[in-house]
Amino acid sequence: MRGIIIFLIGTLAVIAGTSILLYEDEGEVITIGASSGPFADMASFALKPVLEENGYTVEIVEYSDYIQPNNALSNGDLDANLFQNVLFMDSYNEENDADLKNIIQVPTAPMGLYSSEFSSLEDIASGSEVALPLDPVNSSRGFLTLQDAGLITISDDADMFAIDEADIINNKKNLEFIYQDAGQLPRSVDQIGLSLVPGNFALASDMKLSDALALENMNEYFRNQIVINGDDAGTKLEEDLIKAVGSEEFNEVIDADFKGFDKPEEDE
């Protein structure tokens, strides 16, 4: 009987020791959320390998909307996310009494004006409907893209981060604006005929940046960011995420597989 007890104790000790070694080999497990498409690919193929070289085990969770990734990060289900610009994050923090923190910009696919009806800006018919993102930050990006394309003129007094139709002082084509959830905008290219599609949703729908009638001249505030929970500010996780994005390995993947993405000035 005593021999059996000693055997069982020894077996449990071996199992416990093996579990500890496996955990140590696995490294700290972190979960990163990203919007489906190019930013999930960026997290998987550019960011994850660098982090895993530094001892982390990385899990990527994909999201199809702009709401769940921040809720999951705020609730502690994610350690970081990649899908939003700093203005969108600030708006979420204010509306939800949250404490998310942006830590570094990443290369970002520009918004584009796409059409199934018109082959050039000049061909756009007067009175055409154009779909824009529903949220104020991204609809502002859409209005600025239309202005850069010469289709509208926005008042100099407008808040560039909260532009609305009242700020338009010249609408050369008498465009009518339709607001939709960002994930619906690729379908609106065919359904409506003109649609301002954020780059990540365009690429996720197998649309080419080169097919856009006009591409966004991206402001630094509109570039996407790696975002963490405020509780993780100043931690090794924040430091390692920043180092990973700044690494040679990360940028080699970007240059090879994410052509046409707008890069932060310090990386250009």
Side-chain angles (χ1 to χ4, degrees):
M1 184 68 176
R2 182 169 178 270
I4 294 174
I5 293 173
I6 292 174
F7 172 77
L8 290 174
I9 292 173
T11 302
L12 290 172
V14 170
I15 293 172
T18 303
S19 297
I20 291 171
L21 289 174
L22 287 173
Y23 178 77
E24 289 177 348
D25 288 342
E26 183 182 58
E28 181 182 350
V29 179
I30 59 173
T31 305
I32 300 174
S35 52
S36 296
F39 290 111
D41 290 343
M42 186 181 294
S44 296
F45 303 120
L47 186 61
K48 178 178 178 177
V50 181
L51 291 170
E52 292 193 332
E53 284 180 6
N54 290 326
Y56 291 94
T57 294
V58 182
E59 298 178 354
I60 306 298
V61 180
E62 295 189 28
Y63 294 90
S64 60
D65 64 30
Y66 282 172
I67 305 301
Q68 295 183 70
N70 276 344
N71 288 342
L73 180 58
S74 185
N75 293 337
D77 295 330
L78 298 176
D79 297 290
N81 67 33
L82 169 53
F83 80 99
Q84 68 190 312
N85 57 54
V86 64
L87 300 172
F88 189 91
M89 183 200 72
D90 286 343
S91 177
Y92 178 87
N93 280 340
E94 182 176 350
E95 292 176 5
N96 296 276
D97 194 27
D99 183 30
L100 305 185
K101 179 189 177 186
N102 61 299
I103 59 174
I104 189 168
Q105 299 177 12
V106 297
T108 303
M111 180 178 287
L113 176 64
Y114 294 87
S115 178
S116 61
E117 293 186 16
F118 310 111
S119 58
S120 69
L121 296 172
E122 292 74 19
D123 290 339
I124 295 174
S126 179
S128 294
E129 293 182 334
V130 55
L132 292 89
L134 183 62
D135 66 279
V137 170
N138 285 306
S139 64
S140 295
R141 292 173 62 193
F143 284 127
L144 289 169
T145 301
L146 292 175
Q147 175 170 257
D148 289 340
L151 296 172
I152 64 173
T153 303
I154 299 167
S155 169
D156 292 337
D157 297 329
D159 179 350
M160 67 175 295
F161 306 129
I163 299 168
D164 61 29
E165 292 181 43
D167 296 314
I168 298 173
I169 58 177
N170 188 3
N171 184 351
K172 298 179 181 179
K173 297 278 189 175
N174 296 311
L175 299 174
E176 297 184 16
F177 305 106
I178 308 296
Y179 301 92
Q180 297 183 339
D181 180 79
Q184 298 179 5
L185 291 168
R187 293 191 293 273
S188 295
V189 176
D190 291 324
Q191 294 171 349
I192 294 178
L194 275 174
S195 184
L196 283 149
V197 186
N200 59 311
F201 285 109
L203 294 173
S205 299
D206 295 324
M207 300 164 65
K208 297 179 180 179
L209 299 179
S210 58
D211 287 340
L213 301 183
L215 285 174
E216 171 184 22
N217 294 319
M218 189 168 290
N219 181 287
E220 64 175 313
Y221 292 101
F222 296 143
R223 290 195 189 100
N224 281 6
Q225 311 266 336
I226 301 287
V227 173
I228 61 174
N229 208 303
D231 290 341
D232 289 322
T235 64
K236 188 175 186 299
L237 173 63
E238 177 182 4
E239 177 184 346
D240 288 343
L241 285 166
I242 292 172
K243 286 182 178 179
V245 172
S247 69
E248 182 177 348
E249 295 88 344
F250 179 92
N251 283 285
E252 284 177 352
V253 175
I254 297 300
D255 290 340
D257 299 331
F258 296 83
K259 297 183 186 300
F261 278 50
D262 180 272
K263 297 179 72 174
E265 290 182 5
E266 59 267 26
D267 294 336
E268 292 175 346

